[in-house]
Amino acid sequence: MYAIVKTGGKQYRVERGQKLLVERLAVAEGDDVALEPILYRSDETVFDKAGLANVKVTAKVVAHVRGEKLRVFKFKPKRGYKRRTGHRQDLTQIEVLEITAGGAKAAAKATAKPAPAKAPDSDAKAAPASATKEKAADGS
């Protein structure tokens, strides 16, 4: 069982007990945070809005950290232009506590069943169509 969640403009595939780094969340360390599910996969796959309304993904904020430094170097040849800067992204380390899908299976089964097909009245529609074709062929 896993879910795909969206946070910080990115999507992550998460499972229960998994730790991952996401962009900084405005939540204190030790607090729980609810992540927005995009897809839930167990025995059934749920990705419609009605089914995802029942899916809850909760995670615990373990720590706020900073990513490793990225070096940015700009250079333009024959002009003497050189610039070196760096960037460190603010990140939050989270641990997925649980993925619950209350009623998600029932919603998935309800959406998966096709509506019963209604038998068309082929005799009523076929007779006038064939009659018009015969008249057109006669030229009257």
Side-chain angles (χ1 to χ4, degrees):
M1 166 178 46
Y2 68 90
I4 296 178
V5 296
K6 181 171 112 177
T7 179
K10 297 182 178 114
Q11 297 177 2
Y12 301 93
R13 181 185 188 271
V14 296
E15 295 179 10
R16 186 172 180 218
Q18 180 181 358
K19 290 184 179 181
L20 68 146
L21 289 172
V22 298
E23 289 195 20
R24 179 67 59 105
L25 299 172
V27 179
E29 288 184 19
D31 289 348
D32 291 344
V33 63
L35 301 174
E36 178 186 350
I38 295 176
L39 180 137
Y40 171 74
R41 174 69 187 198
S42 180
D43 295 334
E44 299 285 330
T45 302
V46 178
F47 52 84
D48 60 331
K49 287 187 179 184
L52 289 175
N54 300 324
V55 177
K56 291 182 178 40
V57 179
T58 57
K60 178 182 175 185
V61 175
V62 177
H64 293 293
V65 296
R66 296 188 75 195
E68 63 182 58
K69 188 158 193 162
L70 301 175
R71 300 285 181 180
V72 181
F73 185 73
K74 297 180 181 179
F75 173 77
K76 293 186 180 177
K78 301 177 187 170
R79 290 175 181 80
Y81 177 81
K82 296 177 192 171
R83 297 289 181 269
R84 187 181 73 205
T85 59
H87 173 74
R88 290 186 73 185
Q89 183 70 38
D90 293 328
L91 302 170
T92 299
Q93 184 178 13
I94 62 173
E95 179 180 2
V96 179
L97 297 177
E98 63 180 352
I99 302 172
T100 58
K105 290 183 180 180
K109 288 181 182 177
T111 57
K113 289 182 183 177
K118 187 176 179 181
D121 295 333
S122 59
D123 296 336
K125 293 181 181 177
S130 62
T132 55
K133 287 182 184 178
E134 290 174 8
K135 287 180 182 178
D138 293 339
S140 51

